[in-house]
Amino acid sequence: MNYFEFYHIPESFLPDEKAIKRRYYELSREYHPDFYANEDLGTQQKILELSTLNTNAYSTLSDADLRMQYILKEHGLLEEGKNELPGDFLMEMMEINEELMELEFDFDAAKLHEIGEKSSGTMAALENDILPVLQRYPDLHGVTKEEALEEVKTYYLKKKYLLRIQETLSKFATRS
């Protein structure tokens, strides 16, 4: 079952987080296995499945990155081997990766800082550019919704790439 449907909330990249939490607690009480201890095994199993579904829905919908990944997967947009990034972005990332490799052999704290600033700036620009798409997504239909999902997919993939670079940067920072 779709997590948004299970929680009776509209599909959104920016949902009402209080509504998610409220629904989680409501369903946690309703489907708590202890309340069904005297029921038959079939009922106990069904309640356990609903309790697990509730936990999985909450952990996914309450985390922005997992929620984004979930929505994209629900729409069939995250398929292995079919997640291409724009060439200009890949070229920019290749330059950063080359700079990181150079740091491996010749560490320079100023260069590390510069790369960190560049990667943070790129991340901030990505987030700034995608916010209007995320905000208007629930009101979109048809082709415009599909276009928005493609934009979000590209953002998601770029963000994952940048997070790997930032992880590498943090490893360098712990060495210095």
Side-chain angles (χ1 to χ4, degrees), residues 8-37:
H8 303 293
I9 59 174
E11 182 179 272
S12 174
F13 291 103
L14 304 171
D16 179 348
E17 297 198 16
K18 289 180 183 176
I20 292 171
K21 187 177 271 190
R22 185 173 46 252
R23 190 69 177 137
Y24 169 72
Y25 286 122
E26 287 170 3
L27 294 175
S28 291
R29 286 187 295 276
E30 184 177 339
Y31 299 131
H32 197 287
D34 290 350
F35 296 139
Y36 298 87

mmCIF file of all heavy atoms in Angstrom, residues 8-37:
data_model
loop_
_atom_site.group_PDB
_atom_site.id
_atom_site.type_symbol
_atom_site.label_atom_id
_atom_site.label_comp_id
_atom_site.label_asym_id
_atom_site.label_seq_id
_atom_site.Cartn_x
_atom_site.Cartn_y
_atom_site.Cartn_z
ATOM 1 N N HIS A 8 -3.566 8.769 4.623
ATOM 2 C CA HIS A 8 -4.649 9.660 4.168
ATOM 3 C C HIS A 8 -4.175 11.104 4.019
ATOM 4 O O HIS A 8 -4.835 12.046 4.448
ATOM 5 C CB HIS A 8 -5.853 9.600 5.120
ATOM 6 C CG HIS A 8 -6.410 8.235 5.293
ATOM 7 N ND1 HIS A 8 -7.042 7.553 4.283
ATOM 8 C CD2 HIS A 8 -6.405 7.403 6.371
ATOM 9 C CE1 HIS A 8 -7.409 6.360 4.732
ATOM 10 N NE2 HIS A 8 -7.023 6.236 5.992
ATOM 11 N N ILE A 9 -2.990 11.245 3.410
ATOM 12 C CA ILE A 9 -2.462 12.585 3.116
ATOM 13 C C ILE A 9 -2.086 12.627 1.638
ATOM 14 O O ILE A 9 -1.767 11.597 1.052
ATOM 15 C CB ILE A 9 -1.244 12.960 4.005
ATOM 16 C CG1 ILE A 9 -0.090 11.959 3.813
ATOM 17 C CG2 ILE A 9 -1.643 13.073 5.465
ATOM 18 C CD1 ILE A 9 1.186 12.349 4.534
ATOM 19 N N PRO A 10 -2.137 13.806 1.034
ATOM 20 C CA PRO A 10 -1.774 13.904 -0.387
ATOM 21 C C PRO A 10 -0.272 13.681 -0.594
ATOM 22 O O PRO A 10 0.540 14.031 0.265
ATOM 23 C CB PRO A 10 -2.175 15.320 -0.774
ATOM 24 C CG PRO A 10 -2.259 16.074 0.507
ATOM 25 C CD PRO A 10 -2.553 15.090 1.595
ATOM 26 N N GLU A 11 0.063 13.113 -1.743
ATOM 27 C CA GLU A 11 1.472 12.931 -2.087
ATOM 28 C C GLU A 11 2.122 14.292 -2.229
ATOM 29 O O GLU A 11 1.639 15.146 -2.962
ATOM 30 C CB GLU A 11 1.591 12.156 -3.395
ATOM 31 C CG GLU A 11 3.030 11.895 -3.796
ATOM 32 C CD GLU A 11 3.131 11.107 -5.074
ATOM 33 O OE1 GLU A 11 3.117 9.869 -5.009
ATOM 34 O OE2 GLU A 11 3.206 11.747 -6.147
ATOM 35 N N SER A 12 3.204 14.477 -1.495
ATOM 36 C CA SER A 12 3.890 15.765 -1.503
ATOM 37 C C SER A 12 5.330 15.570 -1.066
ATOM 38 O O SER A 12 5.621 14.747 -0.202
ATOM 39 C CB SER A 12 3.186 16.740 -0.549
ATOM 40 O OG SER A 12 3.918 17.939 -0.436
ATOM 41 N N PHE A 13 6.222 16.370 -1.667
ATOM 42 C CA PHE A 13 7.613 16.366 -1.226
ATOM 43 C C PHE A 13 7.776 17.167 0.057
ATOM 44 O O PHE A 13 8.744 16.984 0.785
ATOM 45 C CB PHE A 13 8.524 16.943 -2.323
ATOM 46 C CG PHE A 13 8.630 16.048 -3.520
ATOM 47 C CD1 PHE A 13 7.936 16.331 -4.687
ATOM 48 C CD2 PHE A 13 9.424 14.910 -3.493
ATOM 49 C CE1 PHE A 13 8.023 15.505 -5.790
ATOM 50 C CE2 PHE A 13 9.523 14.079 -4.594
ATOM 51 C CZ PHE A 13 8.820 14.375 -5.751
ATOM 52 N N LEU A 14 6.815 18.064 0.313
ATOM 53 C CA LEU A 14 6.841 18.913 1.498
ATOM 54 C C LEU A 14 5.527 18.771 2.267
ATOM 55 O O LEU A 14 4.765 19.725 2.402
ATOM 56 C CB LEU A 14 7.062 20.375 1.085
ATOM 57 C CG LEU A 14 8.305 20.670 0.250
ATOM 58 C CD1 LEU A 14 8.284 22.092 -0.278
ATOM 59 C CD2 LEU A 14 9.569 20.417 1.060
ATOM 60 N N PRO A 15 5.251 17.583 2.791
ATOM 61 C CA PRO A 15 3.972 17.372 3.473
ATOM 62 C C PRO A 15 3.952 18.036 4.855
ATOM 63 O O PRO A 15 4.987 18.465 5.364
ATOM 64 C CB PRO A 15 3.905 15.854 3.612
ATOM 65 C CG PRO A 15 5.338 15.446 3.742
ATOM 66 C CD PRO A 15 6.084 16.394 2.819
ATOM 67 N N ASP A 16 2.779 18.069 5.435
ATOM 68 C CA ASP A 16 2.603 18.569 6.795
ATOM 69 C C ASP A 16 3.213 17.537 7.740
ATOM 70 O O ASP A 16 2.648 16.461 7.951
ATOM 71 C CB ASP A 16 1.106 18.771 7.076
ATOM 72 C CG ASP A 16 0.825 19.269 8.479
ATOM 73 O OD1 ASP A 16 1.736 19.253 9.342
ATOM 74 O OD2 ASP A 16 -0.332 19.655 8.723
ATOM 75 N N GLU A 17 4.376 17.843 8.288
ATOM 76 C CA GLU A 17 5.089 16.873 9.118
ATOM 77 C C GLU A 17 4.356 16.582 10.422
ATOM 78 O O GLU A 17 4.447 15.478 10.956
ATOM 79 C CB GLU A 17 6.527 17.333 9.336
ATOM 80 C CG GLU A 17 7.256 17.387 7.997
ATOM 81 C CD GLU A 17 8.752 17.399 8.086
ATOM 82 O OE1 GLU A 17 9.300 17.075 9.154
ATOM 83 O OE2 GLU A 17 9.368 17.708 7.060
ATOM 84 N N LYS A 18 3.603 17.557 10.921
ATOM 85 C CA LYS A 18 2.801 17.306 12.130
ATOM 86 C C LYS A 18 1.693 16.307 11.831
ATOM 87 O O LYS A 18 1.372 15.462 12.666
ATOM 88 C CB LYS A 18 2.217 18.615 12.663
ATOM 89 C CG LYS A 18 3.250 19.521 13.286
ATOM 90 C CD LYS A 18 2.633 20.798 13.807
ATOM 91 C CE LYS A 18 3.727 21.704 14.357
ATOM 92 N NZ LYS A 18 3.191 22.997 14.782
ATOM 93 N N ALA A 19 1.113 16.387 10.648
ATOM 94 C CA ALA A 19 0.060 15.440 10.257
ATOM 95 C C ALA A 19 0.638 14.027 10.143
ATOM 96 O O ALA A 19 -0.020 13.051 10.528
ATOM 97 C CB ALA A 19 -0.577 15.867 8.940
ATOM 98 N N ILE A 20 1.854 13.910 9.636
ATOM 99 C CA ILE A 20 2.505 12.602 9.534
ATOM 100 C C ILE A 20 2.708 12.024 10.926
ATOM 101 O O ILE A 20 2.372 10.860 11.188
ATOM 102 C CB ILE A 20 3.850 12.707 8.775
ATOM 103 C CG1 ILE A 20 3.614 13.036 7.306
ATOM 104 C CG2 ILE A 20 4.667 11.422 8.919
ATOM 105 C CD1 ILE A 20 4.870 13.367 6.534
ATOM 106 N N LYS A 21 3.246 12.822 11.813
ATOM 107 C CA LYS A 21 3.503 12.356 13.176
ATOM 108 C C LYS A 21 2.196 12.005 13.888
ATOM 109 O O LYS A 21 2.093 10.964 14.546
ATOM 110 C CB LYS A 21 4.269 13.419 13.968
ATOM 111 C CG LYS A 21 4.717 12.937 15.342
ATOM 112 C CD LYS A 21 5.534 13.988 16.053
ATOM 113 C CE LYS A 21 6.979 13.783 15.672
ATOM 114 N NZ LYS A 21 7.913 14.577 16.461
ATOM 115 N N ARG A 22 1.194 12.842 13.725
ATOM 116 C CA ARG A 22 -0.109 12.607 14.356
ATOM 117 C C ARG A 22 -0.705 11.288 13.860
ATOM 118 O O ARG A 22 -1.174 10.467 14.638
ATOM 119 C CB ARG A 22 -1.048 13.776 14.075
ATOM 120 C CG ARG A 22 -2.381 13.711 14.759
ATOM 121 C CD ARG A 22 -3.222 14.985 14.594
ATOM 122 N NE ARG A 22 -3.266 15.508 13.231
ATOM 123 C CZ ARG A 22 -2.640 16.620 12.818
ATOM 124 N NH1 ARG A 22 -1.912 17.335 13.655
ATOM 125 N NH2 ARG A 22 -2.737 17.020 11.569
ATOM 126 N N ARG A 23 -0.658 11.062 12.544
ATOM 127 C CA ARG A 23 -1.211 9.840 11.965
ATOM 128 C C ARG A 23 -0.419 8.620 12.421
ATOM 129 O O ARG A 23 -0.995 7.557 12.703
ATOM 130 C CB ARG A 23 -1.208 9.950 10.432
ATOM 131 C CG ARG A 23 -1.958 8.865 9.766
ATOM 132 C CD ARG A 23 -3.462 8.999 10.013
ATOM 133 N NE ARG A 23 -4.157 7.952 9.273
ATOM 134 C CZ ARG A 23 -5.149 7.247 9.755
ATOM 135 N NH1 ARG A 23 -5.640 7.502 10.944
ATOM 136 N NH2 ARG A 23 -5.700 6.304 9.046
ATOM 137 N N TYR A 24 0.880 8.758 12.523
ATOM 138 C CA TYR A 24 1.721 7.655 13.013
ATOM 139 C C TYR A 24 1.288 7.241 14.416
ATOM 140 O O TYR A 24 1.113 6.055 14.693
ATOM 141 C CB TYR A 24 3.198 8.062 13.002
ATOM 142 C CG TYR A 24 4.088 7.095 13.732
ATOM 143 C CD1 TYR A 24 4.372 5.837 13.193
ATOM 144 C CD2 TYR A 24 4.638 7.408 14.971
ATOM 145 C CE1 TYR A 24 5.182 4.929 13.866
ATOM 146 C CE2 TYR A 24 5.441 6.515 15.647
ATOM 147 C CZ TYR A 24 5.709 5.283 15.094
ATOM 148 O OH TYR A 24 6.498 4.378 15.774
ATOM 149 N N TYR A 25 1.118 8.205 15.302
ATOM 150 C CA TYR A 25 0.732 7.880 16.675
ATOM 151 C C TYR A 25 -0.680 7.309 16.746
ATOM 152 O O TYR A 25 -0.941 6.382 17.513
ATOM 153 C CB TYR A 25 0.888 9.095 17.587
ATOM 154 C CG TYR A 25 2.333 9.391 17.908
ATOM 155 C CD1 TYR A 25 2.905 10.613 17.601
ATOM 156 C CD2 TYR A 25 3.159 8.430 18.495
ATOM 157 C CE1 TYR A 25 4.241 10.880 17.865
ATOM 158 C CE2 TYR A 25 4.494 8.677 18.772
ATOM 159 C CZ TYR A 25 5.029 9.904 18.453
ATOM 160 O OH TYR A 25 6.345 10.152 18.726
ATOM 161 N N GLU A 26 -1.582 7.824 15.922
ATOM 162 C CA GLU A 26 -2.945 7.275 15.888
ATOM 163 C C GLU A 26 -2.913 5.800 15.484
ATOM 164 O O GLU A 26 -3.535 4.956 16.124
ATOM 165 C CB GLU A 26 -3.806 8.045 14.875
ATOM 166 C CG GLU A 26 -4.210 9.424 15.297
ATOM 167 C CD GLU A 26 -4.860 10.223 14.162
ATOM 168 O OE1 GLU A 26 -5.060 9.679 13.042
ATOM 169 O OE2 GLU A 26 -5.150 11.411 14.387
ATOM 170 N N LEU A 27 -2.185 5.517 14.413
ATOM 171 C CA LEU A 27 -2.130 4.144 13.913
ATOM 172 C C LEU A 27 -1.310 3.237 14.832
ATOM 173 O O LEU A 27 -1.591 2.033 14.928
ATOM 174 C CB LEU A 27 -1.579 4.117 12.487
ATOM 175 C CG LEU A 27 -2.477 4.784 11.439
ATOM 176 C CD1 LEU A 27 -1.792 4.820 10.083
ATOM 177 C CD2 LEU A 27 -3.825 4.090 11.345
ATOM 178 N N SER A 28 -0.329 3.812 15.518
ATOM 179 C CA SER A 28 0.455 3.025 16.476
ATOM 180 C C SER A 28 -0.445 2.518 17.595
ATOM 181 O O SER A 28 -0.316 1.370 18.037
ATOM 182 C CB SER A 28 1.591 3.855 17.074
ATOM 183 O OG SER A 28 2.562 4.131 16.111
ATOM 184 N N ARG A 29 -1.344 3.378 18.057
ATOM 185 C CA ARG A 29 -2.285 2.954 19.092
ATOM 186 C C ARG A 29 -3.287 1.944 18.534
ATOM 187 O O ARG A 29 -3.589 0.939 19.159
ATOM 188 C CB ARG A 29 -3.018 4.168 19.670
ATOM 189 C CG ARG A 29 -2.151 5.006 20.600
ATOM 190 C CD ARG A 29 -2.945 6.100 21.293
ATOM 191 N NE ARG A 29 -3.469 7.112 20.379
ATOM 192 C CZ ARG A 29 -2.788 8.166 19.929
ATOM 193 N NH1 ARG A 29 -1.558 8.353 20.311
ATOM 194 N NH2 ARG A 29 -3.345 9.035 19.115
ATOM 195 N N GLU A 30 -3.791 2.233 17.331
ATOM 196 C CA GLU A 30 -4.804 1.367 16.738
ATOM 197 C C GLU A 30 -4.268 -0.027 16.422
ATOM 198 O O GLU A 30 -4.975 -1.028 16.588
ATOM 199 C CB GLU A 30 -5.338 2.015 15.457
ATOM 200 C CG GLU A 30 -6.456 1.249 14.812
ATOM 201 C CD GLU A 30 -7.024 1.952 13.578
ATOM 202 O OE1 GLU A 30 -6.844 3.190 13.444
ATOM 203 O OE2 GLU A 30 -7.651 1.260 12.758
ATOM 204 N N TYR A 31 -3.028 -0.110 15.960
ATOM 205 C CA TYR A 31 -2.471 -1.390 15.528
ATOM 206 C C TYR A 31 -1.404 -1.940 16.473
ATOM 207 O O TYR A 31 -0.550 -2.717 16.049
ATOM 208 C CB TYR A 31 -1.881 -1.261 14.118
ATOM 209 C CG TYR A 31 -2.884 -0.874 13.072
ATOM 210 C CD1 TYR A 31 -2.626 0.165 12.185
ATOM 211 C CD2 TYR A 31 -4.109 -1.528 12.963
ATOM 212 C CE1 TYR A 31 -3.547 0.531 11.221
ATOM 213 C CE2 TYR A 31 -5.037 -1.168 12.011
ATOM 214 C CZ TYR A 31 -4.751 -0.139 11.136
ATOM 215 O OH TYR A 31 -5.657 0.213 10.183
ATOM 216 N N HIS A 32 -1.452 -1.560 17.722
ATOM 217 C CA HIS A 32 -0.456 -2.074 18.655
ATOM 218 C C HIS A 32 -0.729 -3.560 18.903
ATOM 219 O O HIS A 32 -1.826 -3.934 19.316
ATOM 220 C CB HIS A 32 -0.488 -1.303 19.978
ATOM 221 C CG HIS A 32 0.745 -1.510 20.784
ATOM 222 N ND1 HIS A 32 0.990 -2.702 21.446
ATOM 223 C CD2 HIS A 32 1.809 -0.718 21.001
ATOM 224 C CE1 HIS A 32 2.154 -2.619 22.051
ATOM 225 N NE2 HIS A 32 2.671 -1.431 21.798
ATOM 226 N N PRO A 33 0.254 -4.411 18.632
ATOM 227 C CA PRO A 33 0.047 -5.862 18.752
ATOM 228 C C PRO A 33 -0.433 -6.325 20.131
ATOM 229 O O PRO A 33 -1.160 -7.311 20.231
ATOM 230 C CB PRO A 33 1.427 -6.442 18.429
ATOM 231 C CG PRO A 33 2.083 -5.406 17.581
ATOM 232 C CD PRO A 33 1.573 -4.082 18.111
ATOM 233 N N ASP A 34 -0.053 -5.626 21.186
ATOM 234 C CA ASP A 34 -0.475 -6.035 22.536
ATOM 235 C C ASP A 34 -1.992 -6.014 22.702
ATOM 236 O O ASP A 34 -2.540 -6.782 23.488
ATOM 237 C CB ASP A 34 0.167 -5.135 23.593
ATOM 238 C CG ASP A 34 1.664 -5.373 23.729
ATOM 239 O OD1 ASP A 34 2.174 -6.359 23.143
ATOM 240 O OD2 ASP A 34 2.327 -4.558 24.404
ATOM 241 N N PHE A 35 -2.675 -5.132 21.974
ATOM 242 C CA PHE A 35 -4.132 -5.047 22.084
ATOM 243 C C PHE A 35 -4.830 -6.236 21.420
ATOM 244 O O PHE A 35 -6.037 -6.406 21.567
ATOM 245 C CB PHE A 35 -4.654 -3.747 21.473
ATOM 246 C CG PHE A 35 -4.171 -2.507 22.181
ATOM 247 C CD1 PHE A 35 -3.779 -1.389 21.446
ATOM 248 C CD2 PHE A 35 -4.099 -2.432 23.564
ATOM 249 C CE1 PHE A 35 -3.340 -0.240 22.083
ATOM 250 C CE2 PHE A 35 -3.651 -1.294 24.205
ATOM 251 C CZ PHE A 35 -3.271 -0.190 23.461
ATOM 252 N N TYR A 36 -4.083 -7.019 20.670
ATOM 253 C CA TYR A 36 -4.654 -8.124 19.911
ATOM 254 C C TYR A 36 -4.093 -9.481 20.350
ATOM 255 O O TYR A 36 -4.207 -10.467 19.643
ATOM 256 C CB TYR A 36 -4.415 -7.911 18.414
ATOM 257 C CG TYR A 36 -5.087 -6.658 17.907
ATOM 258 C CD1 TYR A 36 -4.443 -5.416 17.978
ATOM 259 C CD2 TYR A 36 -6.378 -6.698 17.389
ATOM 260 C CE1 TYR A 36 -5.073 -4.262 17.540
ATOM 261 C CE2 TYR A 36 -7.013 -5.546 16.955
ATOM 262 C CZ TYR A 36 -6.348 -4.341 17.035
ATOM 263 O OH TYR A 36 -6.973 -3.201 16.608
ATOM 264 N N ALA A 37 -3.523 -9.510 21.531
ATOM 265 C CA ALA A 37 -2.876 -10.734 22.029
ATOM 266 C C ALA A 37 -3.849 -11.896 22.169
ATOM 267 O O ALA A 37 -3.447 -13.062 22.037
ATOM 268 C CB ALA A 37 -2.181 -10.456 23.358
#
